């Protein structure tokens, strides 16, 4: 047994109190996982009540005056790096919890639970009017929240910070501007294929399940021991602690890369949680640090590894064995199918070249909603115009346009940019891993993933949340997120 890393007596007291919050969050995680994987539809009403009551308990424990003053007293203690991480994470959690009045949190969550239902109906009926009023309410409560949270320059900064600690518009403005220009330039030069025959090939669920399990086995995913895989309509990863991290995937019966690459994506998220330093267990620094860093891990496995030539070569025999239609295709076909570039109005179907343009569009709209006085009713037209300008497609209807994503209906404004941060960082990590493991791609061809996993553990995973996202990158890579690596990667791949 390794010696404890927490030595300061006040820190020990803090962590022992925190165990209540940890346990409630653990229960909350199970309720939420179960809701998406097992729960009968009608259970939603009772489940929502239980979840909201537990959230209230977590909130109460967090702002308990005795606990708050204990955490405040840590500031004058001499703390080691781990303990400083605990202080940073708790200060942030307490600051956020204290700045939002209970009345506001309840009102906001009521609006969101109704807005998401309105969004579902609106999307199904392709009728924006049914959602417009709710979106307007979401914009208003988001602005209100920004005021409670506080910001220096732009209200949108307060929302960005919620999803990515320390992220500000000034980190994104120039980067997104240049990225947009370069990506549109790529699009102009690229030759498109309208479709690939493999997109139409149907599969049996049981066979595809075996493909996914075979691939997870190659990766060394600890199925049954510390993880499991289930099915849900939107794939996700749920961590309960370091020794129980679960993923889901989907089976639509055709276009098998959707199931396969989703599974690999979620594996990347799960590996991060599985490789956190075990001594962090039950403490506030246990989980992954931010959405952006998390997404860099999923994108690294999905894009950098999963869409590589070497990976296509590695899994070709598995595909051939399990999916009968593969007989009429080659490894090269699989690679082209995985890397098909075609401008589509739908973000979740986007390829590596156009994906970030979809995010930039949403970023522009979110700024208009939060920093400017643009109203919900004006947004569909702005969406369509921007879409035509940056991706070259005009959505045929609301479903293909402004109603496609669930995020805004859930009140998540400021979330989208983390997808791009993750995608860019994945390519940056590729640059650094190639420097230290030049045989990176040979390892993939050979189905050997332990060196790669170890490198990710060493540079990112083991730290959990002990450093802020920005500090973590400075410490591990010696620089902040830089979009140049991503552009270089695309250039090598497509030109
Ligand atoms: Mg993800």
């Amino acid at each position: 047994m390794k010696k404890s890393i927490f030595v300061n007596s006040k820190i020990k007291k803090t962590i022992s109190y925190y165990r209540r919050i940890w346990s409630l969050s653990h229960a909350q995680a199970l309720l939420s996982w179960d809701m998406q994987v097992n729960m009968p539809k009608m259970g939603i009403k009772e489940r929502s009540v239980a979840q909201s009551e537990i959230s209230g308990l977590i909130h109460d424990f967090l702002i308990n005056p005795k606990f708050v003053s204990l955490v405040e007293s840590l500031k004058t203690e001499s703390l080691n790096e781990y303990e400083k991480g605990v202080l940073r994470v708790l200060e942030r959690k307490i600051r956020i919890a204290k700045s939002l009045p209970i009345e506001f949190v309840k009102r906001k969550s009521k609006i969101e639970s109704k807005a998401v239902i309105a969004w579902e109906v609106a999307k199904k009926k392709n009728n924006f009017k049914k959602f417009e009023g709710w979106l307007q309410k979401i914009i208003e409560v988001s602005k209100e929240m920004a005021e409670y949270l506080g910001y220096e320059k732009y209200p949108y900064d307060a929302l960005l910070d919620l999803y990515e600690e320390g992220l500000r518009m000034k980190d994104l403005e120039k980067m997104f501007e240049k990225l947009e220009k370069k990506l549109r330039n790529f699009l102009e030069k690229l030759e498109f294929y309208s479709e690939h025959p493999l997109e139409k090939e149907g599969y049996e669920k049981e066979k595809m399940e075996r493909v996914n399990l075979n691939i997870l086995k190659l990766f060394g995913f600890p199925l049954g021991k510390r993880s499991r895989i289930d099915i849900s309509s939107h794939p996700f990863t749920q961590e309960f602690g370091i020794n129980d991290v679960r993923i889901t995937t989907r089976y639509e019966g055709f276009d098998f890369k959707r199931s396969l690459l989703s599974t690999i994506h979620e594996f990347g998220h799960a590996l991060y949680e599985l490789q956190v330093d075990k001594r962090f267990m039950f403490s506030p620094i246990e989980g992954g640090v931010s959405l952006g860093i998390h997404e860099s891990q999923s994108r690294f496995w999905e894009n950098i590894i999963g869409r590589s030539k070497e990976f296509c070569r590695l899994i070709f025999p598995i595909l051939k064995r399990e999916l009968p239609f593969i007989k009429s295709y080659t490894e090269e076909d699989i690679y082209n199918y995985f890397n098909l570039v075609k401008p589509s109005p739908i973000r979740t179907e986007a390829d590596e070249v156009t994906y970030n343009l979809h995010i930039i569009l949403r970023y522009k709209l979110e700024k208009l909603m939060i920093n400017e006085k643009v109203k919900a009713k004006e947004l569909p037209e702005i969406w369509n115009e921007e879409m035509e300008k940056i991706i070259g497609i005009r959505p045929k209807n609301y479903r293909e346009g402004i109603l496609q994503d669930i995020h805004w209906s859930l009140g998540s404004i400021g979330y989208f940019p983390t997808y791009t941060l993750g995608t860019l960082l994945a390519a940056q990590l590729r640059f650094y891993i190639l420097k230290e493991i030049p045989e990176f791609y040979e390892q993939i061809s050979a189905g050997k993933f332990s060196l790669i996993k170890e490198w990710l553990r060493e540079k990112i995973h083991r730290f959990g949340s002990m450093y802020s996202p920005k500090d973590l990158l400075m410490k591990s890579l010696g620089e902040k997120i830089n979009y140049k690596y991503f552009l270089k990667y695309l250039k090598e791949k497509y030109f």
Side-chain angles (χ1 to χ4, degrees), residues 235 265-266 269 294-295 298-299 415 419:
H265 179 98
E266 298 309 327
H269 279 304
H294 238 296
E295 196 68 5
S298 54
R299 291 293 189 191
Y415 187 120
Y419 288 134

Side-chain angles (χ1 to χ4, degrees), residues 207-409:
K207 291 185 172 157
M208 194 57 219
E209 231 160 6
R210 283 205 295 272
V211 171
N212 286 337
L213 288 176
N214 270 294
I215 289 170
L216 289 174
K217 202 172 159 194
L218 276 172
F219 290 160
F221 193 53
L223 268 176
K225 288 196 198 92
R226 298 171 64 205
S227 58
R228 50 181 287 140
I229 180 167
D230 293 274
I231 298 171
S232 65
S233 49
H234 302 281
F236 69 99
T237 299
Q238 180 70 62
E239 74 280 9
F240 297 86
I242 298 174
N243 284 323
D244 185 353
V245 184
R246 308 178 188 183
I247 63 172
T248 68
T249 191
R250 57 179 174 187
Y251 297 100
E252 290 146 319
F254 66 98
D255 198 1
F256 77 93
K257 75 168 186 303
R258 295 160 68 101
S259 173
L260 190 145
L261 292 171
S262 286
T263 306
I264 298 177
H265 179 98
E266 298 309 327
F267 166 79
H269 279 304
L271 186 69
Y272 186 2
E273 298 290 336
L274 287 165
Q275 297 208 111
V276 169
D277 190 325
K278 286 197 176 170
R279 297 171 300 172
F280 295 7
M281 200 176 277
F282 307 126
S283 85
I285 57 171
E286 182 184 79
V289 68
S290 71
L291 289 170
I293 305 286
H294 238 296
E295 196 68 5
S296 75
Q297 298 310 297
S298 54
R299 291 293 189 191
F300 185 84
W301 285 87
E302 177 195 348
N303 289 346
I304 307 296
I305 295 178
R307 293 184 206 263
S308 68
K309 277 206 172 83
E310 290 74 9
F311 187 72
C312 293
R313 185 171 312 140
L314 170 71
I315 63 167
F316 192 64
I318 300 174
L319 296 176
K320 227 157 106 185
R321 191 175 68 222
E322 303 295 348
L323 306 174
F325 59 83
I326 295 290
K327 278 191 202 79
S328 353
Y329 297 92
T330 62
E331 279 171 31
E332 186 76 17
D333 291 327
I334 305 293
Y335 177 77
N336 290 333
Y337 165 57
F338 280 9
N339 292 286
L340 185 69
V341 177
K342 78 174 163 185
S344 140
I346 310 292
R347 174 184 62 89
T348 53
E349 290 169 13
D351 51 82
E352 285 183 285
V353 179
T354 54
Y355 187 86
N356 291 310
L357 291 171
H358 287 268
I359 299 300
I360 291 170
L361 174 136
R362 286 154 180 76
Y363 170 72
K364 288 181 177 179
L365 266 69
E366 288 187 340
K367 282 194 305 182
L368 289 175
M369 288 181 223
I370 304 300
N371 296 341
E372 314 290 334
K373 291 198 169 76
V374 171
K375 295 255 184 298
K377 65 166 186 251
E378 304 167 65
L379 292 171
E381 189 49 31
I382 304 177
W383 179 294
N384 292 351
E385 269 169 26
E386 271 299 319
M387 184 62 123
E388 197 163 11
K389 204 175 99 199
I390 66 181
I391 303 187
I393 293 185
R394 197 169 179 92
K396 287 200 287 290
N397 50 46
Y398 293 121
R399 214 178 292 155
E400 273 192 7
I402 192 150
L403 289 178
Q404 65 179 275
D405 300 307
I406 195 171
H407 301 60
W408 292 341
S409 77

